[in-house]
Amino acid sequence: MPRSSETLAPPVGALLRRYRDAGEPLSCEPVSQGLLNRGYRLATTRGAYFLKQHLDAPTADRDTISRQHRATHRLHALGLPVAPPIADVTGRTVAVIGGRCYALHPWVDGSHRDGAQLSTGGSRRLGTLLGHVHTCLEQVMECAPPGEEYESARPEDTFRVIDELLRLVRAGRPRTCFDELAEHRLLERRGLLAEHAHRRPPPAAAAGWVHGDFHPLNLLYRGAEPAAILDWDRLGVQPRAEETVRAAAIFFVRPAGELALGKVRAYARAYRRAAGADGAELAAAVHRVWWERLNDFWILRWRYQLHDRRADPQFPAASALAVWWTREYEAVRDAFAG
């Protein structure tokens, strides 16, 4: 027998009443806490669905979500592996209940795979897929706003952040191994920034529409093939090649903070062919993302300023990557651009 909808969270009963053929609820289990939103596997008498609860304030309003939904429907029509939301009886894909936004998607069976689980051929397929994402977005979205530029981080601002984080790290009691590593990386990064401050990149012009959050947890595989690109919340206008470099820095980072450069090279070459990008565009993106990583402390800000430790497991590899990337700068650039 279906469970009473009142025992399920979020408000499944009220949601399902908006859909013609969704069936009666059987279970609603969280599948991912996520860092920004929440997802549930919703089982009904008619099948399985993915129920998304939008919580991230910058992207959780109905108009923004609806724009994302329209884009995924158009991308699906072009053959990209996406899972567009299901429309309710009024034709809407966003339900607002109790001030929260929800969307119902078809359930897609699959698993997440990071770069260590991808062969060289799989790395090429990943680069080709992201290239197709960018070229298809160019077809389905309106023109990017002209003239918008993105400033790179200013070292003097970063030095202030480092000083504040060091104060918080040293004030913590009892002192932990994480605190020791955090202090070491902050002091190390301060020295690297002082040494390389003259290499701050100039502003970059926004170049096109991007997914905005392309990483292993937002890509489902079925076997060796991508089955669905998930979570289009960060869909927006940014330099496209920078998304390509950021994604590789997440997919192909090893636990010690090195990049698997052989796979990066295969991925980048496939991306350039699929997107029509040249080596100079990727080289410039490598420089900007390297600088971004050198100045970025979001994981430590979450832990010490927001008291949120969910991202802590990412810190050892992410903080080591910035140091390794600085030392191996030319090899990284050549892997993306050569």
Side-chain angles (χ1 to χ4, degrees):
M1 292 289 291
R3 299 183 191 175
S4 167
S5 61
E6 283 73 25
T7 67
L8 301 173
V12 172
L15 281 163
L16 289 180
R17 283 193 289 273
R18 298 173 178 232
Y19 294 87
R20 182 173 289 108
D21 300 314
E24 295 296 317
L26 296 172
S27 64
C28 185
E29 304 294 337
V31 295
S32 171
Q33 290 298 324
L35 292 180
L36 300 174
N37 299 298
R38 292 178 187 161
Y40 302 85
R41 188 182 191 278
L42 173 59
T44 79
T45 52
R46 294 293 184 90
Y49 302 91
F50 177 73
L51 175 60
K52 183 166 182 175
Q53 183 179 11
H54 291 264
L55 297 171
D56 185 30
T59 62
D61 64 280
R62 172 180 269 167
D63 290 343
T64 300
I65 300 167
S66 296
R67 184 184 68 176
Q68 298 160 8
H69 290 173
R70 288 192 297 272
T72 57
H73 276 285
R74 293 166 183 164
L75 294 171
H76 184 263
L78 292 177
L80 279 181
V82 295
I86 301 166
D88 64 16
V89 294
T90 69
R92 291 179 174 177
T93 57
V94 183
V96 181
I97 301 176
R100 301 285 194 190
C101 290
Y102 301 89
L104 194 65
H105 299 257
W107 180 261
V108 179
D109 286 317
S111 59
H112 302 292
R113 304 182 73 184
D114 61 26
Q117 298 168 295
L118 296 178
S119 64
T120 300
S123 303
R124 281 194 291 268
R125 285 192 289 274
L126 180 66
T128 298
L129 175 63
L130 185 55
H132 287 160
V133 168
H134 289 168
T135 56
C136 289
L137 281 171
E138 190 175 2
Q139 296 179 53
V140 305
M141 302 299 291
E142 64 270 19
C143 293
E148 187 174 356
E149 290 188 334
Y150 291 82
E151 289 280 350
S152 56
R154 292 155 34 101
E156 54 267 37
D157 296 334
T158 305
F159 289 137
R160 284 192 288 270
V161 171
I162 290 173
D163 288 343
E164 172 61 13
L165 288 171
L166 280 171
R167 184 186 67 78
L168 294 172
V169 169
R170 290 165 174 167
R173 293 292 183 274
R175 192 165 173 84
T176 66
C177 292
F178 190 101
D179 298 329
E180 297 282 353
L181 178 61
E183 181 174 3
H184 169 72
R185 291 303 189 196
L186 286 165
L187 293 171
E188 181 180 52
R189 196 78 62 84
R190 187 162 64 186
L192 285 174
L193 275 171
E195 180 182 353
H196 295 281
H198 64 285
R199 299 175 66 186
R200 181 191 178 207
W209 288 93
V210 298
H211 176 276
D213 201 19
F214 196 82
H215 60 70
L217 294 181
N218 283 340
L219 183 59
L220 281 176
Y221 279 84
R222 193 176 295 122
E225 296 299 323
I229 305 167
L230 310 174
D231 288 346
W232 292 80
D233 306 308
R234 300 292 184 85
L235 175 68
V237 178
Q238 296 178 18
R240 297 188 313 172
E242 291 182 28
E243 169 158 88
T244 308
V245 177
R246 287 190 195 98
I250 301 172
F251 270 95
F252 299 112
V253 66
R254 292 169 171 160
E258 303 173 355
L259 292 178
L261 291 182
K263 292 181 179 181
V264 168
R265 181 172 286 105
Y267 157 91
R269 287 178 176 174
Y271 172 81
R272 295 202 311 268
R273 284 193 298 269
D278 61 25
E281 183 180 354
L282 268 293
V286 166
H287 187 69
R288 288 187 60 81
V289 178
W290 162 75
W291 181 259
E292 177 183 278
R293 289 302 185 99
L294 205 58
N295 285 268
D296 182 49
F297 298 96
W298 74 271
I299 299 173
L300 296 185
R301 283 179 170 233
W302 275 34
R303 178 184 174 99
Y304 293 106
Q305 293 178 335
L306 303 179
H307 308 292
D308 186 334
R309 300 188 175 191
R310 288 177 296 163
D312 283 5
Q314 301 179 39
F315 181 69
S319 61
L321 174 60
V323 180
W324 177 86
W325 193 335
T326 303
R327 186 174 67 246
E328 302 294 335
Y329 180 88
E330 287 79 10
V332 176
R333 181 197 58 204
D334 291 347
F336 280 98

